[in-house]
Amino acid sequence: MKAIMTPAELVAELAGPRPPLLLDVRWQLTPPGGRKGTEAPGRTAYEAGHVPGAVFVDLEAELAGPPGASGRHPLPDLEVFGAAMRRAGVREERPVVVYDGGAGHPPSPSAGWAAARAWWLLRWAGHPSVRVLDGGLSAWIAADGPVSTEVPEPEKGDFTPHPGGVPLLDAEGAAELARRGVLLDARAGDRYRGEVEPIDRVAGHIPGALSAPTTENVAGDGRFLPAAHLADRFAALGVTDAAEVGVYCGSGISGAHEVLALAVAGVPAALYVGSWSEWSADPSRPVAIGSQPG
């Protein structure tokens, strides 16, 4: 099954005999220290208008655990995650389509990240059919898709997480993969090089990792570049059929977007969820600086 779908494909499936469940995962980057206020900013946007029938999911509270030693967006508690998915109506046998705000106006560098996190997490937890609406709500509206302010009350789902559906890396695994395979750093190039670090304890990258900003996987409208283009990009970084591939970012959000881009290109990849926020928190772990992997 494809990892992404177009608005036209979603329209056809919603009108078909087996319509997918829609999850709205709009999210806004928050400064260190957490949210301002008590309500998820994405919920406010969701209530102002969403794809009809979509159910809101809160990335910070339901798709990630509390920040700490394991990073800024660690894996959520499985009980919390499972309950959230059942509340949203997720069922084992029903396809799921996730989306976020998309590029918006002006375009956001984080377009697609939240939807990719939901896609990756559901796949890791064992759901067999999850896709991302390419371009998010912006693409849906650009294609004249309808928008609703009605908040649905979905029938309770039956989904129970069974971890291990896709590969997951910890810090040690990421370090080993950087030596024996291809470890991609999905952050902006200046963070990889150690020129700036706006959030985490120290600047730089995991030794052996290659810089591959996930923003270079999409066009200006936030939609993924063609699969062949992505395949060429990753091949230039050493991603071959024989290579074992892993991805990390700042806190496991944009890294999921890069894993999704790799999936579009036909390449399976593991995600280091703790990412740089976990790696850099331990002073004993090595840090590389500059444009070279070493």
Side-chain angles (χ1 to χ4, degrees):
M1 175 175 286
K2 295 196 305 179
I4 60 175
M5 70 189 317
T6 66
E9 289 170 333
L10 178 57
V11 168
E13 290 201 16
L14 289 173
R18 194 169 175 240
L21 174 71
L22 300 177
L23 300 182
D24 185 310
V25 200
R26 273 179 278 180
W27 171 72
Q28 293 180 14
L29 290 165
T30 53
R35 292 182 186 147
K36 295 179 180 179
T38 58
E39 186 174 75
R43 177 172 284 281
T44 301
Y46 165 82
E47 291 176 350
H50 49 266
V51 179
V55 180
F56 179 73
V57 174
D58 184 346
L59 186 151
E60 298 278 355
E62 297 171 329
L63 304 182
S70 297
R72 282 182 279 111
H73 292 104
L75 290 172
D77 177 88
L78 284 180
E79 292 294 331
V80 172
F81 174 63
M85 293 301 96
R86 291 188 291 274
R87 172 197 60 79
V90 176
R91 305 188 67 81
E92 300 278 354
E93 78 285 353
R94 185 179 183 185
V96 176
V97 174
V98 296
Y99 72 88
D100 55 26
H105 302 285
S108 167
S110 62
W113 291 4
R117 171 69 173 221
W119 167 83
W120 181 87
L121 192 55
L122 277 164
R123 291 178 68 241
W124 172 77
H127 198 286
S129 178
V130 191
R131 286 163 293 170
V132 171
L133 176 61
D134 192 18
L137 186 65
S138 296
W140 176 261
I141 292 173
D144 296 324
V147 173
S148 172
T149 58
E150 181 179 351
V151 177
E153 296 183 4
E155 180 182 352
K156 186 175 180 179
D158 63 3
F159 179 69
T160 299
H162 296 288
V166 293
L168 171 69
L169 293 171
D170 58 13
E172 290 71 24
E176 292 174 4
L177 183 54
R179 293 190 291 267
R180 71 171 185 268
V182 179
L183 181 65
L184 301 178
D185 184 320
R187 298 173 301 160
D190 54 358
R191 291 185 71 189
Y192 170 88
R193 294 187 296 270
E195 296 167 3
V196 299
E197 183 43 67
I199 305 174
D200 295 311
R201 188 187 68 84
V202 65
H205 60 268
I206 297 174
L210 299 169
S211 180
T214 198
T215 51
E216 296 179 16
N217 295 323
V218 296
D221 60 3
R223 302 186 204 201
F224 281 104
L225 298 172
H229 187 125
L230 291 172
D232 288 344
R233 183 200 180 202
F234 292 124
L237 291 165
V239 175
T240 65
D241 290 340
E244 185 178 355
V245 182
V247 178
Y248 76 96
C249 58
S251 67
I253 305 298
S254 65
H257 191 263
E258 184 118 301
V259 172
L260 177 57
L262 284 156
V264 172
V267 179
L271 177 65
Y272 173 24
V273 172
S275 285
W276 189 247
S277 61
E278 179 186 38
W279 182 276
S280 63
D282 185 343
S284 71
R285 293 193 180 112
V287 171
I289 299 292
S291 60
Q292 298 302 310

